[in-house]
Amino acid sequence: MAVEFLVVVLSVLVVCVVCNPSPLEDVVIDRYYIPKVCPREVQTGDHVRYHYNGTLTDGKQFDSSHERGTPFSGLVGVGRLISGMDRGIQGMCVNERRNITVPPHLAYGSLGAGSVIPPDAVLVFDVVLLDIWNKDDQVQIRTVFKPEDCKRTVQNSDFIRYHYNGTLLDGTPFESSHSKQHTYDTYVGDGWLIKGMEEGLIGMCVGERRNIIVPPFLGYGEKGHGTEIPPQASLMFDVLLVDLHNPKDDVTIENQVIPDLCKRKSVTGDYIRYHYNGTLLDGTFFDSSYSRNSTYNTYIGMGYVIPGMDKALQGVCIGEKRRITIPPHMAYGESGAGESIPGSAVLVFDIHVIDFHNPSDPVEIVSSFKPEECNKTTRANDLIKYHYNCSLLDGTHLFSSNDNENPQVVFLGANKVIDGLDEGLQGMCIGERRVVIVPPHLGHGETGAHGVPGSAVLLFEVELVDFEEGVPDGYLFVWLSDLGENLFEEMDLNKDGDVPLEEFNTFIKGLVAEGKGRLKPGQDADQIIADMFINQDRNKDGHIVAEELKLKVDEDAERARHEEL
């Protein structure tokens, strides 16, 4: 009942003020614009800044802060303002607009003020409140967004990079890092920032957004700053933390996926091939080996990559995946790199180790199956038939003899296959299966080959299907039994004193059939025998005689050239 009575009395008073031209008893307030959001209202003891136009009731202007370009700043309710204004701005919100009509006894009374305000003048102030704060205020922090994954937060002595928009409390902008297209980079807790900003940044996560309101005494105080921040101005910052590290930070490794089989781990001096995705700490992409469809290849521990990566690649397994976070002092430092990596940026690499080797590595041979009976094994100059599958160490398939449905046929030791595979195919039994791991210096080297990346370690799964024993380099035929006392007589089948090609052919094939000799495998027998005949027919008359089977001696008699026969 008492509340209803008070409302009625106030309503009557308002009506009387509007209708009765007699002098006002109290301040009349017209709140003609009220913001939708009003976090706080003016109270006694608050410090305020506001713009105003002051006029008499006839509209004549006697004062204007707008024209001076400087808002009024002062305390409320402590006698610093005329009583009418002290009352008139009570309860105002920042950006609220009011017409405040002040009767003479609450303004300058019967004396007036100089030549500007006559005695007993009613004053009308059109006011917009710009700022409000109290000496007991603290930094106000409102978290707009916070990532779910927050492994560390800003602490004193950290170095941070952040974007911000800075405005006065009424929304007037004064500075923005976004407009400069560059983060603000600084240490926290060492006096590089205004106190309120340092306090507002403590505890932030990378990717977090905050609204920070700093009262003037924790900002730029009575002096303000430049032309943009007036004295006694509260400051409001919308902040996005982009990066965070401490000068004492080391490389961190996480999200490791280690293969079940890890025969050895990388060490200084190894040559490594790996894929990576590179981002800044806030997730901004800067580079990827996948986008180039090519691994990054380098020696480790020898200064060929940034120190943090050099360190992080030590002790990895082939096939391992890991996330590496590198502080800027172990990366590109204050200068950054190109347009993609800013100065003082923490780098995050998700890497996948494809393979590594050492330039001193030998071929690695592991027999996965070997027949119980193994009387003969392959060696240089043998003609072998084998099946194979070739892949990279990460399992990427490259080639297979099964693609052609036929085994591969090759002479060993004749530079027909890469050195490492040639070595891995020697000493095999028919039916044996092996895994042969070939380092690149015994494979296709730094340049690679068609379908084979440069500096790639190759894995061959081989199975020996068959082989024919070979002959030494430079030979077409070798004896497998002792020579007869009179070779020519054995060769001269019709005993007529000379041997034509037909007779020579029959003789050699007879030796091979009896197991007394072996022709060079992999070539036409008739052609080989014809070449042998030409070598022995020294006078090129189409016949071989006994004298032509003797050892040919060089003119200086210092050395002899062996001939098959």
Side-chain angles (χ1 to χ4, degrees), residues 53-75:
N53 286 318
T55 62
L56 304 177
T57 53
D58 62 359
K60 182 179 179 181
Q61 181 173 293
F62 63 82
D63 194 14
S64 173
S65 64
H66 293 283
E67 292 184 0
R68 289 193 301 274
T70 303
F72 179 84
S73 178
L75 288 170

Side-chain angles (χ1 to χ4, degrees), residues 465-483:
V465 176
D466 197 2
F467 76 93
E468 297 179 49
E469 292 184 87
V471 298
D473 288 337
Y475 285 75
L476 299 175
F477 172 88
V478 292
W479 287 90
L480 301 179
S481 63
D482 294 334
L483 294 173

Side-chain angles (χ1 to χ4, degrees), residues 326-341:
I326 303 177
H329 52 275
M330 300 184 74
Y332 295 100
E334 296 181 4
S335 58
E339 297 180 357
S340 300
I341 300 177

Side-chain angles (χ1 to χ4, degrees), residues 172-434:
T172 302
F174 61 81
E175 192 171 40
S176 172
S177 64
H178 296 282
S179 63
K180 298 176 182 178
Q181 297 183 335
H182 192 284
T183 54
Y184 191 84
D185 307 343
T186 186
Y187 287 95
V188 177
D190 290 342
W192 294 93
L193 297 167
I194 57 175
K195 292 182 179 179
M197 193 61 166
E198 284 197 336
E199 184 177 333
L201 290 167
I202 293 293
M204 284 193 78
C205 308
V206 171
E208 182 176 345
R209 294 179 180 269
R210 281 186 179 181
N211 178 264
I212 302 171
I213 298 177
V214 179
F217 55 87
L218 295 175
Y220 292 101
E222 296 180 359
K223 295 183 179 180
H225 185 71
T227 59
E228 302 296 329
I229 300 177
Q232 301 292 23
S234 299
L235 306 178
M236 185 162 63
F237 296 90
D238 288 310
V239 177
L240 167 63
L241 188 64
V242 173
D243 204 341
L244 159 67
H245 78 276
N246 194 283
K248 298 179 181 179
D249 284 348
D250 199 353
V251 173
T252 59
I253 298 171
E254 56 187 335
N255 296 351
Q256 286 181 272
V257 179
I258 302 175
D260 294 334
L261 182 62
C262 182
K263 294 183 178 179
R264 82 172 181 96
K265 296 183 178 181
S266 60
V267 296
T268 294
D270 283 343
Y271 192 87
I272 190 168
R273 297 192 313 121
Y274 63 96
H275 270 303
Y276 70 90
N277 285 318
T279 65
L280 304 181
L281 203 58
D282 65 345
T284 301
F285 168 86
F286 66 80
D287 193 18
S288 174
S289 62
Y290 295 100
S291 64
R292 295 188 294 274
N293 196 30
S294 176
T295 55
Y296 191 86
N297 309 334
T298 185
Y299 288 96
I300 59 173
M302 301 174 68
Y304 288 99
V305 290
I306 55 176
M309 185 62 85
D310 236 356
K311 183 174 183 179
L313 289 172
Q314 299 274 348
V316 298
C317 301
I318 291 174
E320 181 174 341
K321 296 180 180 180
R322 55 170 56 177
R323 171 168 288 184
I324 302 167
T325 302
I326 303 177
H329 52 275
M330 300 184 74
Y332 295 100
E334 296 181 4
S335 58
E339 297 180 357
S340 300
I341 300 177
S344 300
V346 177
L347 306 182
V348 180
F349 292 91
D350 288 301
I351 68 166
H352 180 200
V353 179
I354 302 303
D355 64 36
F356 61 82
H357 72 281
N358 195 282
S360 62
D361 282 349
V363 175
E364 184 179 346
I365 301 171
V366 177
S367 181
S368 57
F369 172 77
K370 191 170 185 177
E372 293 183 3
E373 293 187 9
C374 181
N375 297 323
K376 291 194 298 183
T377 60
T378 56
R379 56 185 179 178
N381 298 311
D382 287 351
L383 182 70
I384 67 169
K385 295 181 181 181
Y386 65 100
H387 275 298
Y388 72 94
N389 288 310
C390 177
S391 63
L392 303 179
L393 288 192
D394 66 346
T396 301
H397 174 76
L398 297 181
F399 312 108
S400 175
S401 60
N402 295 314
D403 296 340
N404 301 319
E405 299 182 354
N406 291 312
Q408 187 81 358
V409 180
V410 70
F411 278 103
L412 289 180
N415 296 320
K416 300 300 182 181
V417 293
I418 57 175
D419 292 345
L421 181 58
D422 195 290
E423 181 180 337
L425 289 168
Q426 297 198 35
M428 290 189 75
C429 307
I430 293 175
E432 183 177 349
R433 292 191 291 271
R434 285 181 175 180

